[in-house]
């Protein structure tokens, strides 16, 4: 209806939805803390940025979502991070923006197995914090491993939904997808 027609990014944000796109919209030459707070800085009443507080908060966020390396902290430049770690920074920014639902658009695209596992770890930590993740992907094995529920789309239309316990293997899920889309 009307609500969807007038839907936009700021309404999504107000509803607690943040999207992390494939390019992650990060500034590689800037620090992790700068990328998390970009445009939403913590400020004193005279307008000065509360930098120490931002660094503390960013360090807390990146640890919370699963950054374990002691070599990475809030002041590390994003340009020094791997693809999976950059995805983690984008997810941390979404959490800072109070997202209850984080939409990840092809988060494992062009990532090695090791980097893909880092993204999975970040997603599992987000789920533990009682937030939801909508994981959009074409790699059935990635989607199968990380998901609790599947929604199958055909040209943008929802054609089938099922829970993980309704399907026992990625191959079975592919078979259901083929049959559903053929019938549609």
């Amino acid at each position: 209806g009307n609500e969807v027609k007038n839907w936009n990014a700021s309404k999504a944000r107000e509803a607690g939805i943040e999207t992390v796109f494939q390019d992650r919209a990060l500034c590689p030459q800037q620090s992790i803390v700068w990328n998390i707070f970009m445009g939403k800085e913590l400020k004193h009443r005279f307008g000065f940025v509360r930098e120490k507080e931002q660094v503390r908060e960013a360090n807390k966020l990146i640890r919370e979502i699963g950054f374990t390396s002691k070599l990475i902290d809030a002041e590390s430049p994003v340009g020094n991070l791997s693809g999976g770690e950059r995805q983690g920074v984008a997810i941390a920014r979404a959490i800072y923006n109070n997202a209850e639902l984080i939409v990840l658009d092809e988060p494992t695209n062009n990532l090695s197995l090791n980097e893909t596992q880092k993204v999975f770890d970040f997603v599992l930590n987000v789920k533990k914090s009682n937030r939801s993740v909508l994981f959009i992907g074409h790699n059935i094995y990635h989607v199968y491993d990380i998901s609790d529920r599947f929604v199958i789309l055909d040209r943008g239309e929802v054609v089938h939904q099922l829970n993980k316990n309704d399907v026992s293997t990625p191959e079975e899920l592919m078979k259901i997808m083929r049959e559903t889309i053929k019938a549609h």
Side-chain angles (χ1 to χ4, degrees):
N2 239 8
E3 315 79 52
V4 174
K5 207 187 301 170
N6 297 323
W7 194 253
N8 60 36
S10 62
K11 284 191 179 153
R13 201 161 271 143
E14 283 166 27
I17 302 168
E18 286 284 330
T19 302
V20 176
F21 295 102
Q22 280 181 37
D23 68 358
R24 301 176 208 95
L26 297 173
C27 295
Q29 64 277 29
Q30 298 288 348
S31 65
I32 292 175
V33 65
W34 190 93
N35 274 278
I36 290 174
F37 287 90
M38 172 177 42
K40 291 197 167 186
E41 291 82 4
L42 302 175
K43 293 186 176 173
H44 293 287
R45 50 182 189 136
F46 299 115
F48 297 106
V49 175
R50 300 193 319 247
E51 288 182 35
K52 282 192 181 109
E53 195 177 330
Q54 286 189 171
V55 167
R56 263 197 318 274
E57 181 68 18
N59 274 320
K60 192 172 105 349
L61 270 172
I62 64 173
R63 297 296 169 231
E64 183 187 312
I65 72 153
F67 276 85
T68 53
S69 169
K70 297 284 172 267
L71 302 173
I72 298 171
D73 68 18
E75 295 175 283
S76 301
V78 165
N80 293 355
L81 303 180
S82 67
E85 290 162 346
R86 290 181 191 205
Q87 198 67 261
V89 172
I91 293 168
R93 182 175 59 204
I95 291 172
Y96 169 67
N97 289 337
N98 291 320
E100 289 174 45
L101 170 65
I102 300 172
V103 181
L104 297 179
D105 180 20
E106 299 279 358
T108 55
N109 233 11
N110 304 320
L111 294 184
S112 69
L113 229 52
N114 189 25
E115 293 304 306
T116 294
Q117 189 54 54
K118 283 181 190 170
V119 174
F120 285 178
D121 292 343
F122 294 141
V123 169
L124 293 171
N125 284 323
V126 169
K127 284 164 66 175
K128 279 184 210 154
S129 71
N130 286 327
R131 292 176 171 87
S132 298
V133 176
L134 179 61
F135 188 105
I136 301 168
H138 285 89
N139 183 319
I140 198 81
Y141 298 98
H142 292 179
V143 170
Y144 185 83
D145 285 346
I146 199 71
S147 301
D148 301 317
R149 237 173 102 223
F150 308 102
V151 177
I152 302 166
L153 301 175
D154 183 16
R155 288 166 284 204
E157 189 182 331
V158 175
V159 292
H160 197 52
Q161 297 182 53
L162 61 162
N163 291 323
K164 183 115 178 212
N165 54 13
D166 297 332
V167 58
S168 52
T169 64
E171 290 75 18
E172 188 187 345
L173 179 60
M174 276 195 281
K175 185 174 176 259
I176 292 168
M177 286 172 63
R178 278 196 297 274
E179 289 167 0
T180 306
I181 290 171
K182 203 186 296 176
H184 183 246

